[in-house]
Amino acid sequence: MSFTITCPICGKRNLYEFRFGGEDRGPRPEETDLTPETWAQWAMMNDNVSGIQKEWWYHRDGCGAWFTVLRDTCTNREMENGTRPHDAENPASNGQGRPYPPFVDRL
Amino acid sequence: MFFGPRRFWGDNPFKSSYEAVIIGGGVHGLATAYYLARDHGLTDVAVIERRYIGYGGAGRNTAIVRANQRTPENVRLYSEGLKLWPELIDELDFNLMFFDCGNLNLAHSEAGMGAFRLQVATAQFMGVRSELLDAKQCQELVPLLDISDRPKYPILGGMYHPPGGTVRHDAVVWGLARGAWARGVHIHQQTEVTGIDTADGRVTGVRTTRGNIRTPKVLIATGAYGAQTARLVGIRLPIQVLTIQAMVSQPLKPFLHHVVSSGTYHCYCHQSLKGELVTGAHMDPWPNYTTQVTAEYLKHQAEALTDLMPALKSLKFMRIWSGLADMTPDMAPIIDGNDPVEGLYLDCGWGYFGFKSGPITGRYLARFMVEECCPDILQPFSLKRYRENRLMGEISTPPNYGPWN
């Protein structure tokens, strides 16, 4: 059970019970004066953080709740509540999150 | 006599300026560098690779090539790509082990057959060989297939695409690297690009862990890391990076002479020239940058294979690995340039189709980078198609049709 997601209702469960719902893109843009550019940015473009990102999950095989978690995309581990994404902590990181593990030459 | 391991390309000094810099030493990056040098005489080119060439998707795919995509724009590109392999073997003087054994896709529902009809019609319209088969004909091609009612999803028919097959993926990387290097291209491994400099809307250089490079042209060909690299210049892309796993079995005597796949079972396989069954298909449905493998997937694959071909029941898997697939919403790549940054070219979002199209895309990208005018064949793949709501229908391929719809 190394891959787990914590549902706010059911608790820590196997990740295969859940469906990934995309990274958190913030509120849906206002429909008045909505341009195709703004819509495409919100609906399709994403940040692809390598590091901690806020994302939506759906407890498909459980209670059916939608909720957000903070997960590290480099390790698949979810962060404890209150952990802030790297982007927010460190604006200088340019949204790149934390670096990859160092290269090890095994040749 | 024993010849130790030897590289097909040599080291070059790290220069502080190049006429073009290619980020990413995979099939796409190396092919572009090769064709820049071969077709356009642009040899002052550096290929910057964070790890070693072929480390990412280029060395992790399952080596299948085909040209029976769903939409005409894609079929056109992939068909040229498929015809390029024999040519490439000649001119690189490198045996890429192209084996045009044919691809057989299986359908297990009327919806799946309907999707095949559409896909076969597109392929035939574009002059690509592809045909519909019934279950009996599928079994004639692959005698091990169980076409009875016993499997969970009985086989209704298939789509057969004779010109497809497999190519030795590592050989493609090595051959292209040697070809590019022999023409003067510098290949810098273990060098990470940490920034891309721009001024007045133009690319002026890249920053790397080994120093800065001044250059007017940069190609982002970083495979699954494309979205991340593009963000260095503030471009957001509609990409999700998903893990895709693959595995090989113990070697067997030759028994499977085609690439077989089933979208419903989410499973494909072919037998390598060493006799191993190479298999894979399912993607872990949440984005991540690990290359972890999962027991869940190993189990799924064993169930799918033995349900389709019960004779494989005591087969043992030897190893499993995973790679990263950069999926776009319409499952078609993003190839663009000079928009919005002059001199910056994008080649990403290939998902799990990046290998089969590598050399052909490199050839057209090289022309794009030199003439600064997008070749017709690449135009449908521009990034602005998303804001123009002009998504390609590649997602309507049969893997998305099963007994559930």
Side-chain angles (χ1 to χ4, degrees), chain B residues 189-221:
Chain B
Q189 301 187 109
Q190 298 184 38
T191 308
E192 185 173 349
V193 169
T194 53
I196 300 174
D197 294 324
T198 57
D200 302 326
R202 279 204 69 90
V203 164
T204 56
V206 295
R207 273 170 275 157
T208 79
T209 48
R210 278 169 73 187
N212 297 350
I213 300 174
R214 287 190 313 281
T215 181
K217 282 182 185 160
V218 172
L219 169 68
I220 296 177

Side-chain angles (χ1 to χ4, degrees), chain B residues 43-316:
Chain B
T43 54
D44 189 25
V45 175
V47 176
I48 310 287
E49 165 57 45
R50 181 160 61 89
R51 313 251 201 170
Y52 52 83
I53 62 166
Y55 172 86
R60 290 162 194 270
N61 66 79
T62 41
I64 296 167
V65 292
R66 62 186 176 91
N68 57 347
Q69 310 293 356
R70 166 62 198 92
T71 55
E73 296 90 345
N74 280 275
V75 173
R76 192 174 159 209
L77 184 63
Y78 285 84
S79 169
E80 278 204 34
L82 195 55
K83 288 178 194 145
L84 191 61
W85 295 112
E87 203 180 303
L88 206 57
I89 291 168
D90 274 352
E91 63 176 65
L92 290 174
D93 191 20
F94 206 104
N95 186 2
L96 306 180
M97 295 160 79
F98 177 44
F99 180 30
D100 48 351
C101 55
N103 305 52
L104 174 68
N105 301 72
L106 301 172
H108 307 261
S109 66
E110 278 305 326
M113 287 303 285
F116 277 157
R117 274 182 205 109
L118 197 58
Q119 201 167 339
V120 165
T122 308
Q124 289 181 348
F125 179 69
M126 302 296 289
V128 172
R129 283 184 68 200
S130 183
E131 53 201 80
L132 275 177
L133 304 184
D134 60 27
K136 190 103 198 334
Q137 290 170 308
C138 291
Q139 202 190 31
E140 277 164 18
L141 288 175
V142 184
L144 247 51
L145 280 180
D146 185 352
I147 56 166
S148 71
D149 284 342
R150 188 206 49 83
K152 184 177 177 195
Y153 303 121
I155 297 167
L156 287 192
M159 174 173 70
Y160 183 45
H161 172 52
T166 58
V167 175
R168 177 86 172 101
H169 54 334
D170 294 321
V172 177
V173 173
W174 300 328
L176 287 170
R178 185 177 74 170
W181 175 74
R183 285 169 175 78
V185 171
H186 291 193
I187 298 170
H188 297 301
Q189 301 187 109
Q190 298 184 38
T191 308
E192 185 173 349
V193 169
T194 53
I196 300 174
D197 294 324
T198 57
D200 302 326
R202 279 204 69 90
V203 164
T204 56
V206 295
R207 273 170 275 157
T208 79
T209 48
R210 278 169 73 187
N212 297 350
I213 300 174
R214 287 190 313 281
T215 181
K217 282 182 185 160
V218 172
L219 169 68
I220 296 177
T222 46
Y225 305 96
Q228 293 230 307
T229 319
R231 281 194 63 194
L232 293 174
V233 276
I235 298 176
R236 290 173 95 217
L237 297 176
I239 286 176
Q240 286 194 334
V241 177
L242 307 181
T243 309
I244 182 162
Q245 301 179 38
M247 65 199 76
V248 295
S249 75
Q250 65 190 116
L252 300 172
K253 286 182 183 176
F255 72 97
L256 181 62
H257 309 294
H258 305 281
V259 179
V260 183
S261 74
S262 162
T264 300
Y265 277 92
H266 268 304
C267 168
Y268 63 74
C269 63
H270 66 90
Q271 194 172 18
S272 76
L273 296 175
K274 282 190 284 184
E276 301 152 334
L277 197 65
V278 183
T279 171
H282 224 307
M283 278 184 292
D284 290 347
W286 62 90
N288 70 83
Y289 285 92
T290 75
T291 44
Q292 285 172 343
V293 295
T294 54
E296 167 91 11
Y297 181 77
L298 202 60
K299 178 169 163 278
H300 166 92
Q301 207 64 5
E303 283 171 356
L305 280 174
T306 52
D307 211 20
L308 287 168
M309 293 184 271
L312 296 179
K313 254 178 187 154
S314 57
L315 186 67
K316 291 176 176 64

Side-chain angles (χ1 to χ4, degrees), chain A residues 15 37 46 48 71 73 100, chain B residues 228 236 239 286-287 289 387:
Chain A
L15 179 140
E37 174 69 29
N46 45 24
N48 267 295
R71 184 179 61 106
T73 58
Y100 302 98
Chain B
Q228 293 230 307
R236 290 173 95 217
I239 286 176
W286 62 90
Y289 285 92
R387 63 172 183 265

Side-chain angles (χ1 to χ4, degrees), chain A residues 5-34:
Chain A
I5 289 287
T6 307
C7 169
I9 297 169
C10 312
K12 198 183 222 187
R13 306 296 286 260
N14 188 327
L15 179 140
Y16 289 95
E17 290 184 13
F18 299 88
R19 188 195 133 188
F20 176 72
E23 63 182 57
D24 182 44
R25 297 184 168 101
R28 183 185 172 112
E30 288 294 327
E31 302 228 341
T32 45
D33 304 328
L34 183 61

